Amino acid sequence: MKLRLLTGASLLTLSTLLCACSGGSDDATGADGGRSELTVWLMRDSVSAAFQKEFTDGFSKAHPDIDLKIQIQEWDGIGQKVTAALASNDAPDVIEVGNTQVAQYAQSGGLLDLTGKKADLGGDTWLKGLAEPGAWDGKQYGIPYYAANRVVIYRKDLLRQAGVDPAAIKTRDQWIAATKKLNTGDQQGIYLTGQTWYALAGFIWDEGGDLAVRDGGKWKGTLDTPQALAAMEFYKQLQALGKGPKDADEANPPQAEVMAKGKVAQIISVPGGANVIVQHNPALKGKLGFFPVPGKTADKPGAVFTGGSDLVIPAASRHQDAAYTFVKELTGDTWQTKLALAMSYVPNKTSLASAVASDPGAAAMAVGAAQGRATPNTPGWAAVEAENPIKDYMTASLTGGDMKQEATKASAEITRAMNSAS
């Protein structure tokens, strides 16, 4: 799932696919004497133009027998395009997909099983939030590409004035205490809307709960468990230390724009939100810092939703060996390190976290990524997000509704949506 605050998105016409000349796994040859023409779909802003050129030049030098064609796609409408491509005989050879999208594509039978390649790709150190949703029915189809997750963006000057040391905020209790100090007069200690459900998901995971679980072969919503209710209680306490609307999410209005007005000490956002804040208020340049979302205890940061992408190889790829070579290169340590530095992403392996140590936002993100999770790994989850009873439940709980009753109602709606879609 793409965390779109990391980057902007514009609409371009989909490029015409360049296809190979004959069928077969990797025995297709072109008129130029055996070169494989490899078509790769990468998503808008997952790589910069400079990184794409550097990688393409390096890849072509290392693999002169592969003619690499990278085609940039748009996130809007990509699901339908990928579904159509996987069902055709003319699919690209490698596709970047959102990590939570892998299950629905794998279920269709359109992806190549890469389970046997995990050891070769260093799978024992993959980020859990990318690796787990990249698997389906016990097999690995998606190879972790890059990750992004939310952190706390804070005003350095406001915390300093309040006598708050951000480095000392390691637990939820310490976070609440610091935010109370920052919540004075017309200044909001934190701007947190009532429907920032990804943040709630992290708190639920910290409590040992989940959004939904498998029960007897079917999925069951679990917002009404003691763990999930405890998480909502914490969310309610934190949200009250600001003036965020209780009936909207972080995009309505855009929370970075709210913080740019100068009266907000903290928001929960991907680090790219800091760039948006400065764009709207250049006076805040150099005044923004980052720390990981705190956990229940100081020994580990809070759980966060891991957004990002996996790379998949369509079963219909005509150059599966060359496609695997591409995947291995781009997800390998050398290019993962370069990508992380170029794009401020979290590398796909926990062993590469130090690669972004020089980037404060990405470094905070990498710490949280170690506790990253994904939404329930089933094609049916898409139906939940389409209706999103979690948002309605959160608003009802924050505006005087009976939390237990509202959680039971929302859990039933999640159960229905997941199982009807599956």
Side-chain angles (χ1 to χ4, degrees):
M1 181 175 293
K2 181 71 172 176
L3 288 172
R4 299 197 183 196
L5 244 182
L6 278 171
T7 55
S10 58
L11 292 175
L12 295 177
T13 304
L14 180 64
S15 302
T16 303
L17 289 179
L18 298 173
C19 63
C21 299
S22 63
S25 173
D26 213 22
D27 51 358
T29 58
D32 54 355
R35 291 172 59 83
S36 296
E37 188 175 81
L38 195 70
T39 301
V40 176
W41 285 2
L42 295 183
M43 299 309 300
R44 172 69 57 193
D45 298 317
S46 73
V47 294
S48 64
F51 177 87
Q52 181 178 333
K53 183 179 187 306
E54 181 183 6
F55 176 81
T56 300
D57 289 347
F59 184 88
S60 297
K61 183 177 181 180
H63 306 283
D65 57 327
I66 301 175
D67 186 12
L68 177 61
K69 304 293 184 184
I70 294 178
Q71 300 175 348
I72 301 301
Q73 310 298 314
E74 305 296 336
W75 285 101
D76 290 338
I78 190 61
Q80 294 90 333
K81 293 176 184 177
V82 172
T83 298
L86 295 180
S88 74
N89 293 321
D90 192 27
D93 300 290
V94 180
I95 305 175
E96 174 191 348
V97 299
N99 59 325
T100 60
Q101 298 171 340
V102 176
Q104 67 187 87
Y105 300 139
Q107 186 186 46
S108 72
L111 300 183
L112 184 67
D113 178 7
L114 296 170
T115 307
K117 302 294 188 181
K118 287 178 63 175
D120 187 41
L121 296 172
D124 57 336
T125 61
W126 283 340
L127 292 176
K128 183 179 180 181
L130 292 179
E132 287 189 350
W136 171 250
D137 200 23
K139 298 178 180 179
Q140 193 76 38
Y141 295 95
I143 304 304
Y145 175 25
Y146 68 86
N149 50 262
R150 289 163 176 79
V151 300
V152 179
I153 300 179
Y154 68 90
R155 286 275 301 273
K156 296 178 181 178
D157 53 337
L158 298 184
L159 268 68
R160 184 168 55 251
Q161 292 169 15
V164 173
D165 178 7
I169 303 176
K170 301 295 186 183
T171 69
R172 283 189 193 174
D173 289 343
Q174 292 168 343
W175 192 18
I176 290 291
T179 304
K180 286 180 177 178
K181 290 183 179 180
L182 295 163
N183 192 35
T184 60
D186 62 349
Q187 178 178 295
Q188 300 182 59
I190 188 169
Y191 180 83
L192 180 61
T193 66
Q195 296 182 348
T196 306
W197 70 275
Y198 284 124
L200 175 63
F203 302 151
I204 292 174
W205 293 327
D206 277 342
E207 294 287 349
D210 211 331
L211 300 167
V213 297
R214 288 193 70 87
D215 181 20
K218 292 188 176 181
W219 284 92
K220 178 182 179 182
T222 51
L223 294 180
D224 54 347
T225 62
Q227 295 87 351
L229 291 170
M232 188 63 214
E233 286 285 1
F234 174 76
Y235 189 99
K236 185 175 183 178
Q237 184 182 8
L238 185 64
Q239 200 271 338
L241 298 176
K243 302 174 183 177
K246 295 177 172 59
D247 59 351
D249 62 23
E250 62 269 33
N252 299 292
Q255 62 174 354
E257 295 180 16
V258 176
M259 191 172 188
K261 294 178 181 179
K263 298 297 183 180
V264 172
Q266 304 172 92
I267 59 172
I268 302 172
S269 170
V270 292
N275 297 328
V276 180
I277 294 167
V278 172
Q279 287 171 8
H280 284 82
N281 186 353
L284 294 181
K285 184 177 182 179
K287 295 182 179 180
L288 300 175
F290 313 87
F291 61 81
V293 174
K296 289 192 70 177
T297 58
D299 59 320
K300 63 181 181 180
V304 288
F305 169 75
T306 300
S309 292
D310 285 6
L311 298 178
V312 299
I313 299 176
S317 166
R318 303 185 185 205
H319 308 287
Q320 292 179 357
D321 291 343
Y324 178 70
T325 298
F326 173 89
V327 170
K328 185 175 181 179
E329 287 275 10
L330 189 53
T331 63
D333 290 3
T334 297
W335 288 107
Q336 279 291 299
T337 299
K338 290 178 179 290
L339 180 69
L341 292 174
M343 303 300 295
S344 294
Y345 291 148
V346 177
N348 62 1
K349 301 181 182 73
T350 55
S351 57
L352 295 177
S354 61
V356 292
S358 61
D359 183 325
M365 198 162 52
V367 172
Q371 300 299 320
R373 296 276 298 273
T375 50
N377 189 20
T378 169
W381 185 255
V384 177
E385 290 199 25
E387 301 178 20
N388 216 323
I390 305 172
K391 288 185 174 183
D392 295 336
Y393 155 63
M394 295 173 72
T395 294
S397 298
L398 294 171
T399 54
D402 184 284
M403 188 179 296
K404 174 67 174 177
Q405 291 182 6
E406 295 295 339
T408 300
K409 176 182 175 183
S411 294
E413 292 175 356
I414 290 174
T415 301
R416 176 193 54 76
M418 293 185 80
N419 292 304
S420 61
S422 298

